[in-house]
């Protein structure tokens, strides 16, 4: 009989939040979690992270699911002894900007009512002021406030001029003074070395006396070694995933850790048979999500992150953005620009939302600027960088480049002088205004919060639910049958087994088609697959000459979606083009308005960042060609100026 452990290590399971967020773009559907939830609930986890981070965004935007419903549904299967946990981005909540205090108070209260027990709160700048209101709201609800340190470096080991041991100890003490119930070291890029972890864990526990949790991504390949040294130092809780959702840019797998600790004083006591049952289920449904996994590299660890410090999720965003801009070959230039932008912005930790802010700006500098001075590089500055330079995200760890700050705030609507107070102090209450805008589409405060945080996509979700708009094709669930049929077609394409296309005209491609890229001997071709009725079929193949498309069945085409007005065939100097793929957030002008060159006339969202696009010439607005919420490709004509 195994002797009970004196100090069993507690485990937080991240499979159903950060696991699929890191590997599968947060696309795991509730039905797939529900099917295994009861078994996971019996494993013995201290807590399960089931919500927060990007789940709120992707569920309503891409899956057509009400994000508020997931925690309540899962609680039917999982006992209260297993705490439900969420990731809260401080005053950003689960979105990408700071919100007014009334929104923070309401969101935390509704999240607690939905079933969240532990609120892991972090701020991308480690600015204590952005913890104050959400921490008070969590404590008011009687829930657990876990304060997270967003771990980062300027050099290859802990230290340097900014992120020293003293820096982290002082931050942890300040969070303890706010009433934190526990502290988390949040190592989002896998940068924490084993020996640094030993020192950090020991000193933080000594300084605060609070339970300490360690969260390490496996991006760099260090995490398992770092966990071992942290366990030696007395860490209380670690974050892991079930093996099929572990590794790469995710987290260490739980199963080897359970075996490693068996029979020791830190033995988890977990039943490996139950863990195996969970892993086998995830392997079974894995094909539904495998197409989202980045397999462009052979190595499962990205050792480059030890140099460029870019978290895995941020890398995939950068690759996607460059691919859509037909500039994937410039990723190396973006990696070179990233540390320069980060330095210019005062060395923010690279975690949401600052990872997006820095990453998108680096892409813009590469695509639209040129090497040289600040003015040369920053030809286009995102709205979020302007907000950051103004102080709306908080206090940067180091000074922001003065020239960049001046350039970013030139003509800035809120003023050209940066603020120094708590960012939320300059924000006015938002909920009443939002209530007037959304009207009856919001049935309760949860709906109102969804719209407030995501005004474009949130409103679309509520409109679809109310039957006022058709559901987007992308909301349709991908079945195992779909996945297997699509994978079989891709294998045939790679083997050159697709038959020669006949002269028969192909049907129009439907909105549900998915595009796959197939790489063969240094060349690639694209396969468009859709399932208009029954099993998926190939509709088009763009390939090298040796590979042609298979003929497609000809079902009745779906009803076409309303199309935007046709853009002009000839593009003149008065045409404003979309500089990158994105979504139209808002037109700030209408036909007939007089504008001057440099006036911001369209807000375009790209990579979750809002960008103000300027009029190219003086004149009068002629036509606009898209509507709010429309997706647009690169070089689409957004409006004309006569």
């Amino acid at each position: 009989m195994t002797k009970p452990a004196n100090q069993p290590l507690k485990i937080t399971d991240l499979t159903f939040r950060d696991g699929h967020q890191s590997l599968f773009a947060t696309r795991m559907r509730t039905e797939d979690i529900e099917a295994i939830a009861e078994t996971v609930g019996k494993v013995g986890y201290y807590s399960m992270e089931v919500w927060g981070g990007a789940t709120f965004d992707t569920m309503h935007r891409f899956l057509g699911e009400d994000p508020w419903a997931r925690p309540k549904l899962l609680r039917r299967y999982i006992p209260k002894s297993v705490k439900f946990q969420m990731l809260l981005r401080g005053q950003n909540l689960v979105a990408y900007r700071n919100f007014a205090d009334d929104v923070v108070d309401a969101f935390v209260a509704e999240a607690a009512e939905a079933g969240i027990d532990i609120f892991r709160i972090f701020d991308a700048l480690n600015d204590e002021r952005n913890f104050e209101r959400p921490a008070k709201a969590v404590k008011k609800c009687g829930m657990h406030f876990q304060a997270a340190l967003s771990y980062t470096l300027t050099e290859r080991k802990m230290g340097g001029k900014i992120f020293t041991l003293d820096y982290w100890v002082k931050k942890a003490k300040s969070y303890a003074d706010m009433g934190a119930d526990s502290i988390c070291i949040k190592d989002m890029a896998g940068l924490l070395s084993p020996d640094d972890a030993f020192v950090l864990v020991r000193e933080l526990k000594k300084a605060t006396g609070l339970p300490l949790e360690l969260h390490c991504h496996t991006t760099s390949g260090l995490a398992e070694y770092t966990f071992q040294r942290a366990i030696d130092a007395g860490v209380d809780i670690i974050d892991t995933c079930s093996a099929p959702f572990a590794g790469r840019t995710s987290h260490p797998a739980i199963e080897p850790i359970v075996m490693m600790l068996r029979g020791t004083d830190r033995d988890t006591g977990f039943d490996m048979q139950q863990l195996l049952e969970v892993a086998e289920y995830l392997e079974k449904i894995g094909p539904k999500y495998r197409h989202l996994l980045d397999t462009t590299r052979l190595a499962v660890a990205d050792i480059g992150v030890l140099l460029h410090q870019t978290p895995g999720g941020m890398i995939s965003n950068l690759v996607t953005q460059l691919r859509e801009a037909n500039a994937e070959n410039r990723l190396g230039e973006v990696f070179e620009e990233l540390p320069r932008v980060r330095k210019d912005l005062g060395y923010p930790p690279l975690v949401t939302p600052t990872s997006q802010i820095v990453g998108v700006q680096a892409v813009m500098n590469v695509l639209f600027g040129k090497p040289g001075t600040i003015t040369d590089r920053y030809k286009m500055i995102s709205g979020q960088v302007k907000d950051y330079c103004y102080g709306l995200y908080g206090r940067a760890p180091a000074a922001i480049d003065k020239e960049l700050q001046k350039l970013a705030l030139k003509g800035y609507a809120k003023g050209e002088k940066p603020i120094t107070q708590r960012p939320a102090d300059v924000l006015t209450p938002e909920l009443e205004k939002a209530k007037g805008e959304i009207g009856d589409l919001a049935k309760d405060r949860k709906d109102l919060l969804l719209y407030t945080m995501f005004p474009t996509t949130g409103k679309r979700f509520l409109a679809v639910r109310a039957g006022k708009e058709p559901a987007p094709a992308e909301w349709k669930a991908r079945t195992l049958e779909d996945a297997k049929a699509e994978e079989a077609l891709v294998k045939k394409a790679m083997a050159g087994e697709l038959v020669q296309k006949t002269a028969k005209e192909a049907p129009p491609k439907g909105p549900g088609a998915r595009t796959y890229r197939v790489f063969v001997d240094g060349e690639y071709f694209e396969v468009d697959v859709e399932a208009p009725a029954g099993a998926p079929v190939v509709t088009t193949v763009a390939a090298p000459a040796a590979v042609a498309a298979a003929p497609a069945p000809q079902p009745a085409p779906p009803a076409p979606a309303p199309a935007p007005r046709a853009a002009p065939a000839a593009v003149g100097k008065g045409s404003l083009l979309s500089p990158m793929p994105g979504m139209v957030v808002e037109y700030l002008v209408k036909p007939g308005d007089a504008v001057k060159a440099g006036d911001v006339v369209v807000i375009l969202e790209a990579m979750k960042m809002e960008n103000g696009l300027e009029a190219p010439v003086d004149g009068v607005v002629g036509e606009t060609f898209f509507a709010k919420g429309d997706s647009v490709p690169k070089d689409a004509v957004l409006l004309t100026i006569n």
Side-chain angles (χ1 to χ4, degrees):
M1 185 174 178
T2 304
K3 186 177 79 171
N6 292 331
Q7 191 187 356
L9 182 67
K10 295 178 180 178
I11 307 290
T12 292
D13 177 65
L14 306 181
T15 304
F16 299 135
R17 204 288 294 177
D18 207 0
H20 71 104
Q21 179 170 325
S22 296
L23 298 181
F24 307 116
T26 334
R27 296 298 199 274
M28 195 174 188
R29 291 183 175 271
T30 301
E31 62 185 14
D32 287 332
I33 301 175
E34 182 183 6
I36 197 64
E38 187 172 0
T39 302
V40 177
K42 295 175 182 176
V43 168
Y45 289 116
Y46 164 70
S47 67
M48 289 175 58
E49 190 184 60
V50 297
W51 211 56
T55 57
F56 207 95
D57 184 351
T58 56
M59 285 179 71
H60 85 274
R61 186 191 296 252
F62 298 116
L63 306 183
E65 294 187 17
D66 182 349
W68 294 103
R70 182 174 286 182
K72 282 193 170 185
L73 176 67
L74 295 182
R75 186 52 83 189
R76 298 178 192 171
Y77 303 95
I78 299 171
K80 285 288 288 182
S81 58
V82 182
K83 298 176 175 64
F84 277 0
Q85 186 166 315
M86 77 164 293
L87 183 68
L88 191 76
R89 299 167 181 159
Q91 203 83 18
N92 283 193
L93 300 177
V94 288
Y96 310 104
R97 67 171 176 87
N98 277 348
F99 292 93
D101 289 338
D102 64 327
V103 182
V104 172
D105 293 344
F107 180 88
V108 169
E110 292 293 347
E113 193 278 332
I116 301 302
D117 304 300
I118 300 174
F119 289 76
R120 176 178 291 173
I121 302 176
F122 79 94
D123 177 66
L125 298 175
N126 290 315
D127 188 339
E128 296 90 338
R129 300 171 304 171
N130 289 331
F131 281 77
E132 291 175 8
R133 193 66 176 220
K136 286 179 181 177
V138 169
K139 300 297 281 188
K140 183 179 179 180
C141 292
M143 299 303 171
H144 183 115
F145 160 38
Q146 183 179 83
L149 301 162
S150 295
Y151 185 79
T152 191
L153 301 166
T154 56
E155 300 174 8
R156 295 181 67 177
K157 298 267 295 176
M158 185 168 64
K161 297 180 180 179
I162 304 172
F163 303 110
T164 62
L165 177 61
D166 184 58
Y167 171 93
W168 298 116
V169 169
K170 285 181 178 177
K171 290 291 181 183
K173 283 183 174 180
S174 70
Y175 301 148
D177 291 342
M178 288 182 192
D181 298 293
S182 61
I183 301 292
C184 173
I185 303 169
K186 180 176 167 60
D187 178 21
M188 51 276 178
L191 300 174
L192 181 60
S193 71
D195 287 343
D196 284 347
F198 184 89
V199 173
L200 192 56
V201 168
R202 185 184 59 192
E203 295 303 315
L204 291 181
K205 285 180 67 67
K206 186 189 303 182
T208 66
L210 295 174
L212 188 66
E213 186 156 358
L214 181 56
H215 172 101
C216 284
H217 286 257
T218 46
T219 313
S220 68
L222 282 175
E224 288 85 356
Y225 307 105
T226 298
F227 271 4
Q228 178 64 73
R229 291 292 279 150
I231 292 168
D232 293 342
V235 74
D236 299 281
I237 315 163
I238 60 172
D239 291 356
T240 66
C241 290
S242 180
F245 280 30
R248 294 187 180 270
T249 55
S250 182
H251 300 265
I254 177 59
E255 297 85 355
I257 293 171
V258 168
M259 295 304 295
M260 177 183 75
L261 297 176
R262 181 157 290 178
T264 73
D265 281 345
R266 305 307 307 272
D267 193 335
T268 64
F270 286 5
D271 185 336
M272 280 294 294
Q273 194 59 44
Q274 289 177 330
L275 293 173
L276 179 61
E277 185 178 340
V278 175
E280 287 177 341
Y281 167 79
L282 294 174
E283 286 285 2
K284 179 182 176 182
I285 66 164
K288 294 169 67 171
Y289 303 105
R290 189 180 292 135
H291 65 291
L292 298 163
L293 183 67
D294 180 12
T295 56
T296 56
R297 290 182 297 107
L298 184 62
V300 294
D302 177 13
I303 56 175
V305 75
L306 296 171
L307 300 176
H308 57 63
Q309 300 190 24
T310 309
M314 181 178 172
I315 292 173
S316 61
N317 282 343
L318 295 176
V319 171
T320 299
Q321 185 70 15
L322 289 169
R323 181 180 296 151
E324 292 177 346
N326 296 319
E328 200 170 351
N329 61 315
R330 305 191 71 179
L331 181 61
E333 295 175 62
V334 173
F335 278 145
E336 291 177 3
E337 181 66 7
L338 272 167
R340 291 192 284 263
V341 174
R342 188 178 180 224
K343 180 182 178 182
D344 294 341
L345 292 175
Y347 290 105
L350 296 179
V351 64
T352 304
T354 51
S355 56
Q356 279 88 346
I357 291 172
V358 173
V360 172
Q361 191 59 57
V363 169
M364 289 181 176
N365 288 1
V366 168
L367 294 183
F368 310 119
K370 60 182 180 180
T373 66
I374 289 289
T375 305
D376 292 331
R377 290 166 50 224
Y378 290 85
K379 289 296 184 183
M380 183 174 178
I381 301 178
S382 76
Q384 278 71 20
V385 166
K386 295 177 181 181
D387 291 344
Y388 178 97
C389 289
Y390 185 66
L392 286 185
Y393 284 92
R395 186 189 300 114
I400 298 172
D401 182 278
K402 294 297 182 185
E403 186 180 356
L404 171 59
Q405 196 165 38
K406 183 177 179 180
L407 182 65
L409 296 182
K410 182 180 180 180
Y412 183 72
K414 294 180 176 65
E416 297 188 357
K417 183 178 180 181
I419 61 172
T420 56
Q421 67 262 55
R422 183 179 78 106
D425 286 341
V426 303
L427 303 176
T428 56
E430 299 183 57
L431 287 180
E432 280 304 312
K433 179 175 180 289
K435 188 175 181 179
E437 293 171 350
I438 194 63
D440 294 340
L441 277 180
K443 301 302 181 187
D444 54 26
R445 191 165 67 162
K446 289 182 172 66
D447 288 349
L448 179 60
L449 285 162
L450 173 61
Y451 168 73
T452 303
M453 293 183 293
F454 301 95
T456 303
T457 57
K459 184 176 182 179
R460 180 183 67 174
F461 173 83
L462 297 175
V464 172
R465 189 185 65 183
K468 299 189 179 209
E469 289 185 18
E474 64 191 16
W475 286 9
K476 185 180 178 183
R478 188 172 189 261
T479 67
L480 275 175
E481 290 72 23
D482 290 339
K484 290 175 181 176
E486 291 168 4
E487 287 183 358
L489 287 169
V490 170
K491 286 179 181 177
K492 282 187 176 183
M494 292 180 70
E497 295 174 0
L498 293 179
V499 300
Q500 182 69 33
K501 181 177 178 181
T502 67
K504 193 175 182 180
E505 185 177 350
K509 183 167 66 175
R514 293 185 176 94
T515 300
Y516 294 85
R517 288 189 171 188
V518 181
F519 294 82
V520 181
D521 296 331
E523 297 183 281
Y524 82 88
F525 54 92
E526 294 183 347
V527 181
D528 289 346
V529 180
E530 65 174 315
V537 296
V538 173
T539 57
T540 60
V541 176
V547 183
Q554 302 223 15
R565 276 184 290 169
V571 176
K573 64 179 182 179
S575 296
L576 174 63
L577 306 183
S578 176
M580 64 193 82
M583 180 182 71
V584 175
V585 174
E586 186 179 6
Y587 279 96
L588 303 181
V589 293
K590 60 184 183 301
D593 287 351
V595 296
K596 292 189 175 296
D599 289 349
V600 176
V601 291
V602 181
I603 304 297
L604 182 77
E605 180 191 274
M607 279 184 70
K608 301 177 182 177
M609 297 289 108
E610 293 184 359
N611 307 281
L613 305 185
E614 300 175 353
V617 295
D618 295 350
V620 175
V621 176
E623 291 187 271
T624 58
F625 298 96
F626 295 91
K628 182 177 181 180
D630 282 348
S631 295
V632 296
K634 181 179 183 291
D635 293 331
V637 178
L638 302 176
L639 58 76
T640 55
I641 299 172
N642 302 320

